[in-house]
Amino acid sequence: MSWFFDLLSAALYAVFLQNLLFSGGFGTTEAIRTAMTPRRLILFAGFISYFSVLTSAVCRMLDDVPAVNALGWAAHTAVFTGVLAAVYLVTACALRFGLKASRRFLTTAGIAALNSLVLALPLMNRGTAAGLADSVGTGLGSGLAFILAVALINAGLKTLAKNKNIPRAFRGTPVMFVYVALLALALSGFSGGRFFS
Amino acid sequence: MPEPEKRVSLAPAAAAARRYYTDALIMLSGPVFMAVALYRFEAAILLAVSIASALACEALGALLLKGGQTTVRDLSAVFTGAAIALMLPAGASPLLAAAGSVFAVCAAKLPFGGAMHAPFVPAAAGMAFLCVSWPEKVFTYSGVSIAAMLQVKNSIRLNPLNLFDLLLGGYPGPMGTGCIAVLLACSVYFLIRRRRALWAPLGFLMACAAMAALFPRVYSGSLTSVVMELSAGSLVFAAIFLLPDPASAPSGRASGFLYGVFAGALCMLLRRYGTAEEGVFFAILIVNAFSAFPLPKTAGRLILRVKALVLPGKTKKKEGAGHAV
Amino acid sequence: MPSDNKAAERFSATMLNRAFVQNPVLVGALGLCPIAGGAVSLQAGLVLSGAFTTGMMLNMLAAHFVLKKLPRWLRMPAYVLIALAAVCPAGYILETRAQTLLSSVGIYLALMAVSSLISLRSEKTFVACTLKRSFSVAAAECAGYAAVIMAVSFIRELLGSGTLWGVPLTKVYFAPGLLLPFGGFLALGFLAALHRGYIARHFALRGALKDITFDLSAAAGPLITPAADIPERKQAPPAPAAEKPPETPVTQPADETDGQEDTQASDTVPVPGEAPAGEINGNENEPEDATSDTQAQQPGGFAVTPFIQAADTDGETADETPAQERGDAALEDEETPDEKAQTLPADGGEIEAFTDEKSDEAAPGEPEAQPASKDREGGEAP
């Protein structure tokens, strides 16, 4: 059962203690855009979790292969990105030909798969020598972290939208960036440092 | 006959802010007096530099951003500067206080149009920035502080002498937050002038006490844990002066109380699991972010509905958002 | 030759518009991850800029010559793999010659392969436009992105490390906290404010600056609303007569269409009583084919209110969600209209950047848009 607790703790860690979006800046473009129109938030976050879990798990298993583990930075990046692309292609084929998914659905899946939050996870897991349970847990947590980030940004932007006193130079993206910065500062109390370098 | 000089009066919102911050500064005079009495010249320099930096940034920001329309007169910059200085050690560099004040005003206040529209408490943001950037300077005191003791699971014996020292700031710590007795006395002023603003601090302190009692970091009992946790660091100071910020805290009793409880729970979690010795600033920022959700308001309304069911006829008027300053 | 002059003018206009006025980061909020997390020193910024530029150019060529023949769902991973061709060599060189720099940049170099800006631009512009046009857009986007990365890197290295290009500077009081991602966002915020103020002061735009963010006048609804609490569907507030979009269809240059749909999949509703056009705000006149529905009813009884009122612009089928989500619409496979010349006036101050055909009319209370060389009455302080 320890693998379950490892998985759970890794997921909670990725959501709360070191929110991947605010601690590392991963997936913030998608989070901000989804916060503007959060209509498909759950679907998008579900896709992120799905692709994160699969990619992290496959990459973690590949890392157990000595030949792959011995590769340098560039080769490892290529392998992990190739795994991500492959996972997406298999999923897209299944959606397209199996489930007759619409173009919009496939596009959502593509944007969710091919973003920095999903690709960052296997790279981070390798850097921290995370086990399979931790990798899967972090993947699961990434979707929840995305939802939390989008919800916080959306709530903040709603507040800012009602604020008529924002100086003209700051209206729009400037004040949004400052708000996200303060959110990231607030959540850095747990991590206190750079998430991964 | 020369025309009488026109007096430029503040807009209603700015006048309301000025009233609030005037009250807050009156309350702050107690900790300021104690800090200067204990630390003399160092404290005075730190306060002066911090307040001057905040005022300068506010004035410059008003000039650049608002075409001259200034929020300096609402005294929020003075309050922010003074609060930041009081939460620093007396031996801290004045540049540290200046950096905190500059960040608080430039990043957490000016872009949002002033203190009354800032979604995050500027002083808390400034202190969080200092904690993240220079933790070794923010938490270095002349001796071992209560917070440092708690981190290594040391405790003090709860005898009248130690209790007296705790209440009057006899232990090393931030220069304006150690004297709990003075802080509690100052809160009486709030009780008289702005009673509604005390619900959040009350919820905060109760949550902190409950967490300290249930999950003590020391082995000498729940009571010692509660006393040490409440007197450590800037917890009580932040509860009284930062948490009830009118721009970010809900004004209703139930929602304010829940807001405080949430902040208190976060604070204790951050103290235990966070990297900084003091987590109250980050807790306040996090709860400010969550206060944009209607959750506290919804929970408050839920409590009112339950109360209306249980005690029909005694339900008060519906709570609104924002303090009546 | 007149055609050469025209081409040069067009290139200049595209560069000015895309790289500066409609900067993809400061206005479009694209490609944020490497800037927030990786741009902590000038050297790191240079590496990231170089990787981005190479990836963008490779994608431009591949999208124009090869990828346009593939369906979109196959193109998307192709963009990532092609950008990898820029990232991996850079990483290999750093690994063999500058290990410390690679450690400093970290995984953010690898994440350039999945840059949202590269994918978006490839899909919106490079697939559909001519090679010349694609090149000019790619060059402009690279210049704009690199400028922002280098500016953020400079600020963060100076104020966060007290060094410049790795050389320690004496007597500099630096804040290591600015090296964290929040420092990157903060630097972006102030840069964007500076940019916005400069645009307001020196450029008399004929429309509003296209901005990803919110409609300042509308009180947006909650993230999720239970069905029982949904009020009747609210119509968008009617625009004042002076701001209503024209009856005739709006024609617009290709690059303005791209910029429009990149940063804002559908135009926001007009803002009655809002600051007049010419000020920098995020509000646009609504295109005439836009619906005014503000809520999309999802199956399951919840209505997730869009944060801003999105317009339905692409005639979807009945079983699809009516309103266009910005992220999806940005990647919709639409034919970009033929490009139209965008010329700069002789004084260089006015940009015909946006869609509003009523731009020649002043909004109520506003002086007519004037070139920057003339004094503007009521000019706003940034």
Side-chain angles (χ1 to χ4, degrees):
Chain A
M1 279 299 278
S2 68
W3 66 267
F4 177 73
F5 289 112
D6 287 341
L7 192 148
L8 194 63
S9 65
L12 289 174
Y13 194 79
V15 178
F16 297 111
L17 294 187
Q18 212 161 34
N19 186 284
L20 295 164
L21 283 91
F22 294 121
S23 300
F26 309 119
T28 36
T29 300
E30 287 77 16
I32 286 169
R33 286 171 169 256
T34 310
M36 306 310 299
T37 50
R39 238 170 284 116
R40 292 195 167 196
L41 171 61
I42 304 298
L43 176 68
F44 201 81
F47 270 132
I48 285 180
S49 280
Y50 165 78
F51 286 114
S52 299
V53 166
L54 271 185
T55 309
S56 299
V58 171
C59 291
R60 184 64 191 82
M61 287 188 284
L62 277 177
D63 259 344
D64 286 335
V65 176
V68 174
N69 201 23
L71 292 174
W73 184 96
H76 245 112
T77 303
V79 166
F80 287 175
T81 312
V83 167
L84 173 60
V87 167
Y88 163 73
L89 280 171
V90 168
T91 307
C93 286
L95 289 172
R96 177 83 174 82
F97 301 113
L99 299 178
K100 307 286 183 214
S102 68
R103 191 177 59 185
R104 170 191 285 280
F105 199 79
L106 282 175
T107 304
T108 305
I111 298 171
L114 304 168
N115 76 71
S116 48
L117 178 58
V118 175
L119 182 58
L121 287 178
L123 295 168
M124 281 176 346
N125 291 336
R126 179 167 186 269
T128 55
L132 185 61
D134 290 330
S135 302
V136 171
T138 315
L140 283 172
S142 64
L144 295 173
F146 188 81
I147 292 176
L148 179 66
V150 168
L152 285 173
I153 295 172
N154 178 271
L157 290 179
K158 279 189 289 185
T159 310
L160 294 175
K162 297 174 198 167
N163 183 356
K164 304 283 184 237
N165 292 74
I166 295 174
R168 286 197 193 93
F170 277 95
R171 284 182 196 166
T173 42
V175 76
M176 180 195 69
F177 285 139
V178 176
Y179 190 88
V180 173
L182 292 172
L183 279 177
L185 176 62
L187 290 167
S188 66
F190 284 108
S191 60
R194 231 167 135 197
F195 188 48
F196 185 77
S197 63
Chain B
M1 191 172 176
E3 286 183 4
E5 277 185 16
K6 286 185 184 173
R7 294 189 66 185
V8 179
S9 58
L10 292 171
R18 188 184 171 99
R19 283 196 299 274
Y20 176 81
Y21 286 109
T22 305
D23 287 338
L25 284 170
I26 291 171
M27 282 173 47
L28 214 55
S29 58
V32 167
F33 177 78
M34 288 303 298
V36 173
L38 287 171
Y39 302 105
R40 299 185 190 277
F41 192 64
E42 284 175 328
I45 289 288
L46 217 56
L47 280 161
V49 168
S50 186
I51 292 171
S53 306
L55 280 171
C57 288
E58 184 92 31
L60 196 63
L63 194 66
L64 291 175
L65 297 176
K66 294 195 168 193
Q69 181 191 348
T70 180
T71 53
V72 174
R73 290 173 61 192
D74 65 9
L75 301 179
S76 57
V78 178
F79 173 78
T80 301
I84 287 176
L86 290 172
M87 290 186 284
L88 289 172
S93 163
L95 288 176
L96 194 71
S101 296
V102 166
F103 185 89
V105 173
C106 294
K109 191 191 289 192
L110 289 175
F112 302 103
M116 297 309 280
H117 308 283
F120 298 94
V121 179
M127 284 304 299
F129 171 69
L130 293 179
C131 291
V132 160
S133 296
W134 301 282
E136 70 287 349
K137 291 180 182 169
V138 173
F139 300 116
T140 300
Y141 308 107
S142 54
V144 181
S145 63
I146 300 286
M149 279 191 232
L150 284 165
Q151 280 207 319
V152 295
K153 301 190 190 319
N154 282 347
S155 66
I156 58 171
R157 199 181 294 270
L158 270 193
N159 54 40
L161 199 63
N162 285 340
L163 212 55
F164 194 73
D165 276 341
L166 276 173
L167 285 175
L168 292 185
Y171 281 88
M175 72 177 187
T177 69
C179 195
I180 308 293
V182 169
L183 293 176
L184 293 176
C186 292
S187 64
V188 173
Y189 182 82
F190 244 7
L191 194 64
I192 297 168
R193 286 276 293 166
R194 296 176 188 279
R195 194 172 303 171
R196 274 173 140 195
L198 282 182
W199 283 101
L202 187 65
F204 179 83
L205 292 172
M206 287 176 66
C208 290
M211 295 276 286
L214 293 171
F215 309 106
R217 286 195 281 172
V218 293
Y219 301 115
S220 40
S222 298
L223 185 61
T224 309
S225 172
V226 169
V227 170
M228 288 184 72
E229 292 280 5
L230 291 184
S231 53
S234 308
L235 192 137
V236 175
F237 183 90
I240 294 171
F241 291 101
L242 302 189
L243 198 63
D245 182 72
S248 49
S251 64
R253 287 182 204 173
S255 48
F257 186 81
L258 286 170
Y259 175 85
V261 167
F262 186 34
L266 274 174
C267 174
M268 298 307 287
L269 279 174
L270 279 158
R271 277 185 163 190
R272 184 181 276 265
Y273 299 111
T275 52
E277 191 176 284
E278 180 59 80
V280 67
F281 315 117
F282 301 99
I284 289 176
L285 293 179
I286 292 173
V287 82
N288 287 160
F290 277 95
S291 70
F293 285 117
L295 196 58
K297 199 188 285 188
T298 308
R301 285 183 188 146
L302 192 64
I303 291 174
L304 282 177
R305 284 202 184 136
V306 169
K307 192 180 167 188
L309 285 172
V310 173
L311 299 167
K314 290 190 179 179
T315 309
K316 292 276 176 84
K317 199 174 175 184
K318 190 166 126 175
E319 300 165 352
H323 279 185
V325 291
Chain C
M1 298 288 284
S3 60
D4 289 343
N5 287 341
K6 201 175 174 184
E9 276 180 11
R10 194 182 300 175
F11 183 77
S12 305
T14 303
M15 283 296 283
L16 183 65
N17 188 29
R18 287 217 174 243
F20 184 65
V21 177
Q22 287 276 28
N23 186 279
V25 184
L26 301 179
V27 177
L30 290 165
L32 297 178
C33 173
I35 299 178
V40 293
S41 66
L42 283 171
Q43 292 168 341
L46 193 65
V47 168
L48 292 171
S49 312
F52 176 82
T53 303
T54 313
M56 180 72 110
M57 288 302 177
L58 287 173
N59 265 297
M60 184 263 297
L61 292 169
H64 181 77
F65 287 114
V66 178
L67 296 181
K68 61 168 77 174
K69 300 177 178 90
L70 298 176
R72 180 194 293 173
W73 63 277
L74 280 179
R75 282 201 297 263
M76 291 169 75
Y79 299 142
V80 172
L81 295 173
I82 290 166
L84 208 59
V87 163
C88 288
Y92 178 76
I93 292 169
L94 289 180
E95 196 178 15
T96 50
R97 299 188 182 194
Q99 180 69 34
T100 46
L101 183 55
L102 185 64
S103 307
S104 161
V105 173
I107 65 173
Y108 295 100
L109 177 60
L111 296 180
M112 274 297 187
V114 287
S115 169
S116 51
L117 182 52
I118 293 178
S119 305
L120 192 73
R121 194 57 60 224
S122 303
E123 188 61 27
K124 279 305 301 174
T125 307
F126 303 155
V127 164
C129 289
T130 62
L131 184 62
K132 211 185 281 187
R133 179 82 193 132
S134 298
F135 177 79
S136 59
V137 168
E141 297 275 336
C142 291
Y145 194 73
V148 173
I149 283 191
M150 295 308 291
V152 170
S153 303
F154 173 78
I155 294 169
R156 288 171 87 187
E157 185 176 8
L158 182 65
L159 298 180
S161 309
T163 62
L164 266 183
W165 199 262
V167 177
L169 302 175
T170 56
K171 297 182 183 176
V172 171
Y173 199 65
F174 57 90
L178 291 176
L179 298 178
L180 298 179
F182 90 85
F185 287 118
L186 203 63
L188 279 174
F190 281 93
L191 270 176
L194 206 66
H195 167 264
R196 196 151 295 220
Y198 187 87
I199 296 285
R201 194 179 277 273
H202 296 284
F203 287 86
L205 297 178
R206 283 189 176 170
L209 190 66
K210 291 293 171 59
D211 194 299
I212 187 180
T213 59
F214 42 86
D215 180 344
L216 290 174
S217 70
L223 191 66
I224 294 175
T225 312
D229 291 346
I230 299 169
E232 288 182 8
R233 286 191 170 192
K234 292 179 186 172
Q235 296 295 314
E243 289 180 5
K244 270 194 176 163
E247 291 301 318
T248 52
V250 174
T251 56
Q252 47 193 298
D255 57 327
E256 281 83 35
T257 311
D258 291 344
Q260 205 173 8
E261 285 164 342
D262 292 340
T263 58
Q264 207 167 330
S266 48
D267 294 329
T268 57
V269 294
V271 183
E274 185 61 16
E279 278 196 23
I280 304 305
N281 55 33
N283 306 306
E284 289 293 317
N285 286 341
E286 195 172 352
E288 58 176 8
D289 57 346
T291 62
S292 55
D293 264 350
T294 61
Q295 294 185 358
Q297 186 76 33
Q298 298 265 0
F302 281 91
V304 182
T305 307
F307 192 83
I308 64 170
Q309 297 159 4
D312 182 9
T313 54
D314 61 352
E316 296 174 29
T317 57
D319 59 344
E320 290 184 330
T321 308
Q324 189 67 272
E325 197 174 327
R326 185 171 294 130
D328 293 350
L331 291 179
E332 277 299 319
D333 192 10
E334 294 173 5
E335 286 298 319
T336 312
D338 291 335
E339 54 182 355
K340 180 177 162 186
Q342 183 193 27
T343 55
L344 284 175
D347 56 16
E350 193 168 320
I351 293 183
E352 195 178 317
F354 303 108
T355 64
D356 187 5
E357 280 198 356
K358 289 271 184 177
S359 58
D360 291 333
E361 281 178 29
E366 177 218 341
E368 286 194 0
Q370 305 214 355
S373 54
K374 296 179 189 170
D375 285 344
R376 292 169 62 200
E377 282 187 20
E380 302 83 25

